[in-house]
Amino acid sequence: MNRRVLIGVFDTEDAILAVTDAARRRGLKIVDVFAPYAVHGLDKAMGLQRSKLPWVCFLLGLTGAAAKVWFEYWTTASDWPINVGGKPWNSLPAFVPITFEVMVLFAGISTVLAFFGMSRLWPGRKTVVLDARVTNDRFALVLEEDSAAFDVGKVEQFLRDHQALRVEEREQEVVR
Amino acid sequence: MADVYSPLRMPLIAGHKKLATVTEDVCRPMLRPPSGLWWAGFTFAFSLMLLGVAAVSYQIATGVGTWGLNSTVGWAFDITNFVFWVGIGHAGTLISAILFLFRQKWRTSVNRSAEAMTLFAVMCAGIFPVIHTGRPWLAYWLFPYPNTRGPLWINFRSPLAWDCFAISTYFLISATFWYVGLIPDLATVRDRIAPGPRQRLFAIFSLGWNGSYRVWHHYEVLYLLLAGLATPLVVSVHTIVSWDFATAVIPGWHATIFPPYFVAGAIFSGIGMVLTLMIVARKVMNLEDYITLRHVDVMCKLLLLTSSIVALAYGTEFFTAFYSGNPYEQFVFRNRALGPFAWAYWTMVGCNVLVPQLLWFRGVRRRIGIVFVLSLLVNVGMWFERFVIIVTSLHRDFLPSSWASYRPTIVEVSTLAGSFGLFFTCFLIFCRILPVIAMGEVKAVLHHGNGKGGHS
């Protein structure tokens, strides 16, 4: 499926913040914003929801820690108990350091993998770069021409009023 | 845009850079052929590494009898080097994670290379315990896996097992954190260089990053989470390293002060190494506008702070020995300061406590030459700290008839030299093939301190 989009290219952080906020207020459908760095406040301007990554991190960290405590208990107290210096079979306090390390390992690696999945990033993925300069020094706002009521001329003027360097109309394949 | 400076917030990056200038400045050293100076450094580091490879091969083939150990001093050079290198790594995580949580924006200029330093230092550190096992080809026995010996599981109550997990987790999380930070910059380089095999490599490793804010949005959260995980992790790693000693009943090791003492010492030595590397890198790669005198100044203050904590720990150890009334404890500390290894002890005190006092003076902190020498001395001092803790606590034990001395053999010294070779070889290659400054992060703080734009 293809869609028609209108792209405005900007060269400052202030301009992209202002135009994104204004576009959302006007009820225009924002496909995405492209930026060379994480511009603070852009998530609010785009009206994005909070990321769910902290939940992944918390739950998998907890899973890792619980699994490790069980494994340490099972190996030292159940599967093959060995008397080490007369310490109790179940030496819970001594299991804390490794449990902590495994929790961090699980939480960290799984959050990164979840991020790759959610953001559809993987090696060899076909890169669709809007403009080679959005990874360097340009910001771009992509608006979808979502209905017949979308007046290209008016929106183009709106983008130019917000200091767009360039406005471009494109046919784009819908990826997700 | 008018450049209005606030008197309260000085710009972090000098020279009124534009966004594109940052990309250009950081990519330039990567894209031009290596200089003669780089080749000279690389040849030297690589030769040292080969010396290390020869030494390690020899000692593996012959056995740890090639070391200067004896039945009294059973841990010496090897473990000193291990603790030294792990400690070096800690400053990278301090800069990348802890300072991130504290919103210290100056970190953006140095975090990439400091994290790289962490990885290479942990690689160097990992070699030593593995060769110390004596049979490094069985090093995988350190991990619990279903085996044909029972299965016989590892002893989870042992600090050495904890250490094994701590160091491997630390390496994996640091590498992940570093790579995640690199992705946007790899994409920047991908979109900048000419098509070819090199560009294809950047394309593969940048995972199709295109600057979409929907991705940046999650990325910011991911970065915060990783920083939040790495912060307690780095504290835990050197805490566990200190437990290798503190859980033993040897006077001089058996002390509750060890975890904070070791963590502070680790960060102290790491900041010393960051300064050494950064002072050279900013000069050689023309990055003076990014790593400014202000960055050097701030890191000097961190050095001074951690030096003070270490000094306090040295004092506390002596006080505890005196106050405990325990003759063995008192003997160990008297022997440390006045015994046959007094020269090592006073080298340590001189380099770690006395010399850093110069950093109270702003004039010293801003003089690059002096700071460079100081940072080298800190590294010498911190190496001796570990040597002093390990060897002086062991060489005169409870039974005077078993007292002995220790002297490293040429094999051990070559192994240490080889680890420096490995470290610098890796670092020099890193400087050539990857952006040494986190462009995506520097761009976000570019206008910091200017009147308009940017978040401050």
Side-chain angles (χ1 to χ4, degrees):
Chain A
M1 203 184 98
N2 282 3
R3 64 180 166 203
R4 292 197 70 74
V5 292
L6 199 63
I7 300 165
V9 178
F10 302 83
D11 69 347
T12 65
E13 181 179 316
D14 295 337
I16 194 76
L17 275 170
V19 73
T20 310
D21 197 48
R24 186 175 49 89
R25 283 175 202 283
R26 275 177 75 133
L28 296 169
K29 190 172 173 200
I30 300 169
V31 175
D32 210 339
V33 176
F34 293 84
Y37 57 89
V39 179
H40 279 237
L42 204 50
D43 44 349
K44 282 204 188 73
M46 285 168 77
L48 293 179
Q49 288 185 336
R50 287 184 66 160
S51 171
K52 297 206 168 47
L53 278 176
W55 285 105
V56 177
C57 185
F58 174 71
L59 291 175
L60 275 126
L62 204 63
T63 311
K68 192 64 193 169
V69 171
W70 171 81
F71 182 70
E72 286 175 294
Y73 175 80
W74 178 72
T75 50
T76 38
S78 158
D79 189 49
W80 188 343
I82 290 174
N83 189 335
V84 180
K87 288 173 186 143
W89 302 129
N90 175 20
S91 310
L92 258 185
F95 298 162
V96 170
I98 296 188
T99 305
F100 173 78
E101 302 301 328
V102 172
M103 179 194 75
V104 168
L105 188 64
F106 255 64
I109 303 290
S110 53
T111 312
V112 172
L113 292 180
F115 163 74
F116 288 159
M118 282 159 81
S119 316
R120 292 160 184 270
L121 296 173
W122 60 83
R125 177 195 179 204
K126 192 164 170 284
T127 316
V128 189
V129 181
L130 204 63
D131 177 331
R133 289 182 72 171
V134 294
T135 54
N136 180 5
D137 64 338
R138 289 284 188 265
F139 304 83
L141 172 66
V142 183
L143 298 168
E144 182 173 351
E145 301 179 5
D146 55 344
S147 67
F150 189 95
D151 185 337
V152 176
K154 250 188 183 165
V155 177
E156 188 174 340
Q157 194 51 49
F158 158 78
L159 292 175
R160 293 210 187 276
D161 288 347
H162 282 88
Q163 286 133 29
L165 300 176
R166 204 177 74 217
V167 179
E168 194 184 318
E169 205 179 359
R170 262 193 222 175
E171 188 92 7
Q172 205 183 50
E173 204 179 331
V174 180
V175 183
R176 35 176 120 179
Chain B
M1 189 187 293
D3 286 319
V4 185
Y5 289 108
S6 150
L8 295 176
R9 290 176 185 274
M10 290 299 289
L12 287 171
I13 310 296
H16 309 290
K17 305 280 182 201
K18 288 191 170 60
L19 294 175
T21 332
V22 174
T23 316
E24 200 157 313
D25 286 348
V26 176
C27 292
R28 199 181 305 119
M30 285 169 59
L31 300 177
R32 65 175 178 215
S35 62
L37 197 63
W38 186 89
W39 277 115
F42 183 79
T43 312
F44 181 67
F46 196 73
S47 321
L48 269 187
M49 192 178 88
L50 289 181
L51 175 69
V53 170
V56 170
S57 313
Y58 173 70
Q59 72 207 35
I60 288 175
T62 317
V64 284
T66 54
W67 297 353
L69 301 178
N70 47 58
S71 55
T72 309
V73 185
W75 271 12
F77 220 71
D78 191 77
I79 301 298
T80 301
N81 297 336
F82 163 68
V83 182
F84 172 76
W85 279 117
V86 179
I88 296 287
H90 280 44
T93 318
L94 171 91
I95 289 171
S96 62
I98 303 183
L99 295 184
F100 177 78
L101 297 182
F102 280 106
R103 301 269 184 266
Q104 294 294 308
K105 296 193 185 301
W106 61 269
R107 68 180 264 292
T108 54
S109 296
V110 287
N111 70 336
R112 171 72 40 76
S113 37
E115 283 171 45
M117 180 195 83
T118 295
L119 287 182
F120 307 145
V122 176
M123 275 160 54
C124 291
I127 295 171
F128 292 99
V130 170
I131 53 179
H132 204 152
T133 60
R135 285 185 286 169
W137 54 94
L138 298 178
Y140 61 91
W141 283 13
L142 291 164
F143 289 96
Y145 67 98
N147 53 59
T148 51
R149 304 183 297 278
L152 177 63
W153 302 105
I154 61 171
N155 176 19
F156 285 112
R157 304 177 190 90
S158 159
L160 301 182
W162 303 346
D163 218 8
C164 183
F165 275 85
I167 302 293
S168 8
T169 303
Y170 185 48
F171 182 77
L172 288 171
I173 292 288
S174 302
T176 311
F177 198 19
W178 187 62
Y179 177 60
V180 165
L182 262 170
I183 298 171
D185 281 3
L186 294 177
T188 303
V189 180
R190 172 200 68 201
D191 294 343
R192 200 185 153 72
I193 60 177
R198 194 170 179 196
Q199 199 254 4
R200 240 186 334 272
L201 276 178
F202 277 103
I204 291 170
F205 285 104
S206 58
L207 309 179
W209 181 276
N210 60 7
S212 154
Y213 199 81
R214 287 182 192 281
V215 177
W216 271 121
H217 175 58
H218 292 303
Y219 179 88
E220 285 274 272
V221 176
L222 173 70
Y223 205 88
L224 181 67
L225 287 171
L226 284 179
L229 288 171
T231 299
L233 176 66
V234 70
V235 175
S236 84
V237 170
H238 229 64
T239 297
I240 290 177
V241 169
S242 81
W243 283 337
D244 290 346
F245 303 99
T247 55
V249 289
I250 308 286
W253 287 4
H254 191 58
T256 48
I257 195 183
F258 262 37
Y261 167 28
F262 267 51
V263 173
I267 291 174
F268 178 56
S269 67
I271 298 278
M273 186 60 98
V274 172
L275 272 171
T276 311
L277 293 175
M278 291 306 102
I279 287 173
V280 176
R282 73 193 282 275
K283 195 87 204 157
V284 175
M285 303 172 80
N286 305 318
L287 296 171
E288 280 106 330
D289 284 341
Y290 296 89
I291 304 167
T292 61
L293 283 183
R294 184 180 165 195
H295 289 94
V296 175
D297 184 275
V298 177
M299 285 194 274
C300 284
K301 286 179 183 164
L302 278 173
L303 211 53
L304 188 56
L305 171 74
T306 42
S307 157
S308 312
I309 300 176
V310 168
L312 183 65
Y314 296 161
T316 310
E317 276 192 318
F318 270 82
F319 176 77
T320 313
F322 152 74
Y323 201 63
S324 69
N326 179 332
Y328 298 102
E329 193 79 21
Q330 288 171 348
F331 171 77
V332 161
F333 284 94
R334 212 176 313 119
N335 181 48
R336 209 173 257 190
L338 306 168
F341 286 104
W343 60 274
Y345 181 78
W346 293 107
T347 308
M348 168 191 104
V349 172
C351 294
N352 294 350
V353 180
L354 302 180
V355 173
Q357 300 310 319
L358 287 172
L359 295 171
W360 287 103
F361 302 101
R362 191 183 161 85
V364 173
R365 294 198 303 266
R366 301 242 160 189
R367 218 155 274 146
I368 295 289
I370 302 182
V371 174
F372 184 70
V373 174
L374 263 169
S375 71
L376 290 175
L377 286 178
V378 164
N379 277 307
V380 172
M382 282 310 294
W383 188 89
F384 272 103
E385 181 194 297
R386 279 63 175 253
F387 182 79
V388 164
I389 291 175
I390 295 171
V391 174
T392 65
S393 308
L394 289 176
H395 84 118
R396 288 184 166 175
D397 63 5
F398 298 98
L399 194 66
S401 63
S402 63
W403 285 7
S405 190
Y406 167 76
R407 175 187 287 272
T409 62
I410 191 81
V411 177
E412 287 172 288
V413 178
S414 311
T415 312
L416 174 62
S419 68
F420 273 96
L422 172 66
F423 179 77
F424 285 109
T425 304
C426 291
F427 198 82
L428 285 166
I429 293 176
F430 156 72
C431 289
R432 285 294 314 156
I433 62 172
L434 289 170
V436 282
I437 285 183
M439 295 184 270
E441 292 187 54
V442 164
K443 284 173 187 170
V445 299
L446 202 52
H447 297 295
H448 179 86
N450 290 7
K452 204 168 157 355
H455 54 279
S456 46

